[in-house]
């Protein structure tokens, strides 16, 4: 009987040792496969990121070689066109960088007999518009070629700021023209916050650092300061228009510099524009070069793909970094 008990105990010990060995082997296998899987995943992401940067590099190289004048061939006598469409703002299609570069390319062409700024814009940044205005004045003198503005649906605010320094302004009878004024807008939520019992915790160094914060009240001194800045920019706008339009302006027109805008027909009557016309009629009858060549700088296919890829790449990168395992 003792021998049987001893044998049973020995068998149980062997079984326990075997089970322990199997568990350890299984754990080691799982750990090994997990490590290999993580290494494989890391290798795939390295390949992805390298490929992504290669695509970006190829796109940038293509972009560098593809951005050029409209054609390398001789164009013959023509009217150059640069379009100012949409909001005039930094980084937009109607930014000073794009418009000035387009104008320079157009006026440098010896076959360009005149430049038309084809405008369809509600306005935008006075800074960007001011840069374009300065460039128009400088280039007109340097290249000794006429620069005309042609308004389509809208030529108001900062867009009219630009047009006012052109040699002449042509409009459609139903165009919207003018709006010589400046605005600064925003929202104030202080009353609503009080009703909801919400406390704004804004810490600043400098008593006016939170100036124009939507969740903080504006005191009378801050309001006066903002109005002073707007008045200064408005006066700059008025001075440019007066200088550019000269004696053609009917200064006795009520509300001329109040921010009002008028139809193209009325704009001609009060001197904000010169006459009715289109880009074709200006090219044919004024510049005497009916062939049109568009020099407007636009994002080409490579740039659009690069921007879209950049946004998608950033999104994938953030998602990847947030899902990859971390060490603790």
């Amino acid at each position: 009987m003792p021998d049987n008990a001893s044998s049973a105990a020995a068998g149980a010990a062997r079984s326990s040792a075997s089970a322990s060995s199997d568990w350890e082997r299984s754990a080691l296998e799982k750990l090994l496969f997990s490590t290999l899987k993580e290494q494989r995943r890391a290798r795939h992401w390295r390949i992805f990121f390298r490929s992504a940067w290669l695509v970006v590099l190829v796109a940038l190289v293509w972009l560098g070689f593809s951005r050029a004048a409209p054609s390398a061939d001789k164009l013959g006598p023509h009217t150059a066109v640069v379009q100012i469409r949409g909001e005039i703002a930094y980084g937009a299609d109607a930014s000073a960088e794009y418009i000035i570069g387009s104008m320079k390319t157009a006026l440098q062409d010896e076959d360009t007999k005149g430049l038309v700024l084809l405008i369809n814009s509600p306005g935008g940044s006075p800074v960007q518009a001011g840069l374009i205005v300065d460039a128009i004045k400088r280039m007109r003198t340097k290249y000794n070629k006429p620069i005309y503005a042609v308004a389509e649906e809208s030529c108001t605010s900062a867009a009219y700021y630009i047009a006012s320094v052109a040699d002449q302004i042509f409009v459609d009878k139903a165009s919207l023209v003018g709006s010589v004024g400046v605005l600064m807008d925003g929202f104030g939520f202080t009353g609503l916050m009080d009703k909801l019992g919400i406390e704004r915790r804004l810490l600043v160094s400098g008593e006016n650092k939170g100036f124009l914060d939507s969740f903080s009240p504006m005191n009378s001194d801050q309001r006066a300061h903002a109005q002073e800045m707007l008045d200064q920019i408005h006066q700059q706008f008025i001075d440019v228009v007066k200088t550019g339009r000269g004696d053609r302006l009917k200064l006795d027109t009520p509300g001329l510099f109040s921010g009002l805008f008028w139809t193209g027909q009325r704009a001609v009557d009060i001197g904000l524009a010169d006459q009715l016309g289109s880009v074709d009629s200006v090219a044919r009858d004024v510049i005497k070069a009916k062939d049109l060549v568009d020099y407007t700088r636009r994002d080409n296919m490579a740039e659009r793909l690069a921007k879209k890829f950049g946004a998608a790449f950033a999104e994938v990168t953030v998602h990847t970094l947030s899902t990859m395992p971390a060490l603790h």
Side-chain angles (χ1 to χ4, degrees):
M1 183 67 67
D3 290 340
N4 291 337
S6 176
S7 297
R14 284 194 297 270
S15 297
S16 175
S18 177
S20 176
S21 177
D22 291 342
W23 179 87
E24 291 175 353
R25 186 182 301 107
S26 176
L28 288 173
E29 288 177 352
K30 289 181 180 179
L31 179 61
L32 177 61
F33 283 126
S34 177
T35 302
L36 291 175
K37 185 177 181 180
E38 292 300 331
Q39 290 177 347
R40 190 180 300 112
R41 181 183 299 175
R43 185 169 61 253
H44 288 165
W45 279 115
R46 283 198 299 271
I47 294 173
F48 168 76
F49 283 120
R50 289 171 182 172
S51 301
W53 283 116
L54 179 61
V55 171
V56 172
L57 179 61
V58 171
L60 291 176
V61 172
W62 179 23
L63 168 63
F65 283 103
S66 62
R67 181 179 296 164
S71 173
D73 300 329
K74 195 76 172 176
L75 296 172
H78 63 267
T79 294
V81 178
V82 172
Q83 301 184 42
I84 301 177
R85 296 188 178 276
E87 182 185 8
I88 299 168
Y90 176 79
D93 289 340
S95 67
E97 176 189 4
Y98 281 18
I99 300 303
I100 294 173
S102 300
M103 291 193 303
K104 183 177 180 180
T105 302
L107 293 170
Q108 283 178 334
D109 193 314
E110 61 182 14
D111 287 329
T112 294
K113 301 307 176 185
L115 170 62
V116 170
L117 299 176
L118 185 58
I119 301 175
N120 188 3
S121 169
S125 165
V127 174
Q128 295 292 303
L131 293 172
I132 297 171
V133 164
D134 292 341
I136 291 173
K137 295 177 179 178
R138 182 176 63 253
M139 291 184 190
R140 182 164 46 208
T141 301
K142 179 177 181 179
Y143 296 104
N144 194 28
K145 295 178 181 180
I147 299 176
Y148 302 103
V150 174
E152 293 187 320
E153 281 83 1
S154 178
C155 180
T156 56
S157 195
Y160 185 76
Y161 188 5
I162 295 170
S164 68
V165 299
D167 291 293
Q168 292 186 69
I169 301 175
F170 297 84
V171 296
D172 183 85
K173 60 183 178 295
S175 300
L176 298 180
V177 182
S179 189
V180 182
V182 185
L183 64 82
M184 178 186 295
D185 61 350
F187 295 94
F189 298 99
T190 54
L192 179 61
M193 291 171 62
D194 291 339
K195 290 181 179 179
L196 296 176
I198 299 174
E199 177 188 0
R200 170 66 164 161
R201 295 177 179 175
L202 177 65
L203 304 178
V204 299
S205 178
E207 61 183 9
N208 290 307
K209 188 60 178 178
F211 175 42
L212 296 181
D213 175 60
S214 297
F215 300 96
S216 300
M218 178 186 292
N219 62 44
S220 58
D221 291 338
Q222 292 172 339
R223 185 179 297 276
H225 179 73
Q227 189 61 54
E228 181 182 358
M229 291 192 298
L230 293 177
D231 291 342
Q232 288 178 353
I233 298 172
H234 188 205
Q235 189 59 53
Q236 294 167 6
F237 193 169
I238 293 172
D239 292 342
V240 168
V241 172
K242 283 184 175 180
T243 302
R245 299 300 297 162
D247 295 337
R248 292 170 288 185
L249 275 179
K250 305 297 189 294
L251 294 175
D252 58 348
T253 303
L256 185 62
F257 300 132
S258 69
L260 289 176
F261 51 85
W262 291 266
T263 65
Q265 182 65 67
R266 180 59 178 156
V268 172
D269 294 338
I270 63 179
L272 288 175
D274 292 285
Q275 56 184 295
L276 303 183
S278 65
V279 62
D280 292 305
S281 68
V282 171
R284 182 183 62 249
D285 303 328
V286 181
I287 299 177
K288 308 295 184 182
K290 65 178 182 179
D291 292 335
L292 301 174
V293 177
D294 192 342
Y295 286 82
T296 308
R297 151 78 190 274
R298 298 184 181 89
D299 287 345
N300 59 22
M301 183 61 71
E303 288 175 305
R304 289 195 293 268
L305 287 175
K307 287 181 179 179
K308 290 182 179 179
F309 176 80
F313 181 72
E315 183 178 354
V316 170
T317 301
V318 171
H319 177 72
T320 300
L321 292 177
S322 65
T323 56
M324 287 183 67
L327 294 176
H328 297 284

